[in-house]
Amino acid sequence: MVQASTQQAGDSQSSGLKTQISHDVASKVATNVDDFMANEANERERSMKLLTAFRLYPKAILWSIVLSSALIMEGYDTAVVGSFNAYPSFLNVFGVRAPDGTLNIAPSWQNGLGAATNCGEVIGLQLAGVMSDRVGYRWTLIMALASLTGFIFIPFYASTLTVFLVGELLQGISWGVFQTMTTAYAAEVCPVPLRHYLTAYVNLSWIIGQFISAGVLRGLVNRQDVWGYKIPFAIQWVWPIPIMVGTFLAPESPWWCIRQGYHDRARRSLRRLIRKAGSEGQYEDRTMALMIYTNEMEKQVAAGTRYRDCFKGTDLRRTEIVCMTWIAQTLSGTVVGGLSSYFYVRAGISTQDAYSLSWGQSAIGAAGTIASWFILNKVGRKKLMCGGLVVMFILLL
């Protein structure tokens, strides 16, 4: 009966056209698949050993890393902008002479540039959800990369801080898309044992970008002409095209295909994500059954649900947990950390040493992310996050 349901869903996609699963098929899937194929696939994935996951999903790991490289670019871009507040060549063009004779960016403009970037990212985060639902993760990311390629021209040729701010706002839209799409893709194409490694790699990609940025800025810190700050901006054009090509070649998330009714396409994506083995067809059938079943259950749960329900009963608790998990990253000081080179200079450290310290700071962040891969399985996410905040509090004292 389960095989008949799966075959019926597969046959309906043989023409390559988008279709919806009928209510009868959905009922059969919900009634029978849970006790057989979907449940078996779910248990197999959750009990899968880490080495087995690495052996079966090397292609999924590779494609996740390719798409996550967009965050290397974002980490580079945001770190460059945040470091310009104390950068000599940038101050020579946009700085204002203070009473003590030094050049500075007015605090209002510092806050404005940072706020423009954040506002753009909020817009991008909202657009990503709408666009990805319509065109998929890959094309949403490709469009964001193409847009960013054009937006880079605005701050590169800016002659006033007003134009520079507009450029940062528009670039922030693309950066917001990157944040959403890369994490969602990594979570959907890989099994449970690999999920926290690859979602944590998203953060590592960000730090790698910051590390590269710190190295570039440190290498050009003694250059006083306009190219001292324009070269770091020009380097941003190196990233988009290779990432766009890699994203175009990557398979679409099979979960997105299932949600859109593209079952044939979901199966093709699975084949491109899983290493071929003797039981490949059987594993595909089980995974397809699990995705179909999960999607139908989500539809039933979501029926009649409104956004206001996120703030009622048990769902309110879930909303609080998710929001605080994300907010904790910002409240813990990551925003201030992005301006560390400026504070180092204001504290009396030489410009060269300030950017060297920022460079080392990025390396320490990368080491912390890699360490979390090994600690997370032993202590869990909650203890790791709370423990990290306690350690930061002690170090700040």
Side-chain angles (χ1 to χ4, degrees):
M1 191 173 184
V2 174
Q3 293 177 344
S5 300
T6 306
Q7 184 64 39
Q8 181 177 351
D11 291 342
S12 67
Q13 293 299 322
S14 59
S15 63
L17 297 176
K18 178 177 176 180
T19 61
Q20 296 293 334
I21 303 174
S22 69
H23 177 73
D24 292 338
V25 173
S27 298
K28 291 177 182 179
V29 168
T31 303
N32 300 298
V33 173
D34 183 36
D35 297 328
F36 182 51
M37 298 180 75
N39 187 60
E40 184 177 353
N42 184 47
E43 292 301 321
R44 177 178 177 178
E45 182 174 309
R46 292 188 175 277
S47 61
M48 186 183 295
K49 301 295 184 183
L50 180 61
L51 292 179
T52 303
F54 275 112
R55 180 173 55 83
L56 292 177
Y57 287 88
K59 291 185 286 186
I61 295 171
L62 174 63
W63 289 122
S64 177
I65 290 174
V66 169
L67 268 70
S68 295
S69 60
L71 280 181
I72 296 179
M73 179 177 63
E74 179 175 356
Y76 175 91
D77 297 349
T78 53
V80 164
V81 174
S83 299
F84 276 166
N85 291 326
Y87 209 61
S89 58
F90 187 81
L91 293 175
N92 289 338
V93 177
F94 299 103
V96 176
R97 188 74 61 181
D100 61 359
T102 60
L103 288 171
N104 293 286
I105 302 297
S108 59
W109 276 110
Q110 292 186 34
N111 293 330
L113 292 173
T117 300
N118 293 334
C119 289
E121 289 178 348
V122 170
I123 296 171
L125 288 167
Q126 301 303 315
L127 288 176
V130 177
M131 295 301 298
S132 63
D133 188 57
R134 295 184 178 184
V135 301
Y137 295 173
R138 293 164 56 250
W139 282 107
T140 300
L141 192 57
I142 288 172
M143 287 188 289
L145 287 164
S147 300
L148 182 63
T149 304
F151 293 152
I152 294 172
F153 282 97
I154 300 175
F156 182 82
Y157 287 109
S159 57
T160 65
L161 286 175
T162 302
V163 176
F164 195 89
L165 183 145
V166 172
E168 292 307 300
L169 173 65
L170 294 175
Q171 287 185 101
I173 296 175
S174 297
W175 296 338
V177 173
F178 298 161
Q179 292 180 43
T180 306
M181 291 297 95
T182 52
T183 305
Y185 187 86
E188 291 192 1
V189 301
C190 293
V192 172
L194 293 175
R195 200 158 293 164
H196 78 262
Y197 289 96
L198 291 175
T199 51
Y201 178 79
V202 169
N203 182 66
L204 181 61
S205 298
W206 190 298
I207 296 174
I208 290 172
Q210 293 177 341
F211 182 79
I212 296 172
S213 168
V216 171
L217 292 172
R218 177 61 183 85
L220 296 169
V221 70
N222 292 321
R223 186 159 184 162
Q224 299 296 321
D225 61 356
V226 294
W227 290 103
Y229 78 88
K230 284 194 173 185
I231 289 176
F233 258 107
I235 291 175
Q236 295 180 81
W237 278 308
V238 173
W239 307 99
I241 292 179
I243 299 174
M244 279 193 284
V245 172
T247 303
F248 177 78
L249 296 175
E252 186 55 82
S253 165
W255 284 95
W256 179 85
C257 296
I258 289 293
R259 288 192 291 269
Q260 302 301 314
Y262 299 130
H263 290 193
D264 253 8
R265 188 176 174 187
R267 187 177 291 274
R268 290 196 299 269
S269 291
L270 279 176
R271 290 172 181 169
R272 295 186 61 192
L273 293 170
I274 304 173
R275 171 175 286 178
K276 293 183 178 180
S279 58
E280 177 188 3
Q282 185 180 19
Y283 186 81
E284 284 179 12
D285 292 338
R286 291 169 179 169
T287 305
M288 286 289 295
L290 172 60
M291 290 191 294
I292 294 171
Y293 170 75
T294 303
N295 184 54
E296 290 306 317
M297 292 300 98
E298 288 178 349
K299 287 181 180 178
Q300 293 181 25
V301 171
T305 302
R306 297 164 296 183
Y307 276 109
R308 69 178 67 175
D309 294 325
C310 295
F311 304 95
K312 297 179 181 178
T314 305
D315 288 333
L316 173 60
R317 176 61 175 163
R318 298 170 66 186
T319 302
E320 290 172 346
I321 292 172
V322 172
C323 290
M324 287 307 301
T325 300
W326 286 102
I327 291 174
Q329 299 181 64
T330 301
L331 296 181
S332 62
T334 55
V335 176
V336 177
L339 302 172
S340 58
S341 54
Y342 173 76
F343 288 111
Y344 293 151
V345 171
R346 301 305 297 174
I349 299 175
S350 68
T351 304
Q352 292 82 354
D353 290 341
Y355 284 93
S356 296
L357 285 172
S358 296
W359 198 3
Q361 178 180 305
S362 300
I364 295 172
T369 302
I370 295 172
S372 72
W373 292 346
F374 304 97
I375 301 173
L376 188 60
N377 278 336
K378 297 182 181 298
V379 302
R381 290 171 174 79
K382 181 179 178 180
K383 290 183 178 178
L384 180 60
M385 179 176 289
C386 293
L389 291 173
V390 170
V391 171
M392 289 182 64
F393 177 77
I394 295 173
L395 292 175
L396 287 171
L397 292 177

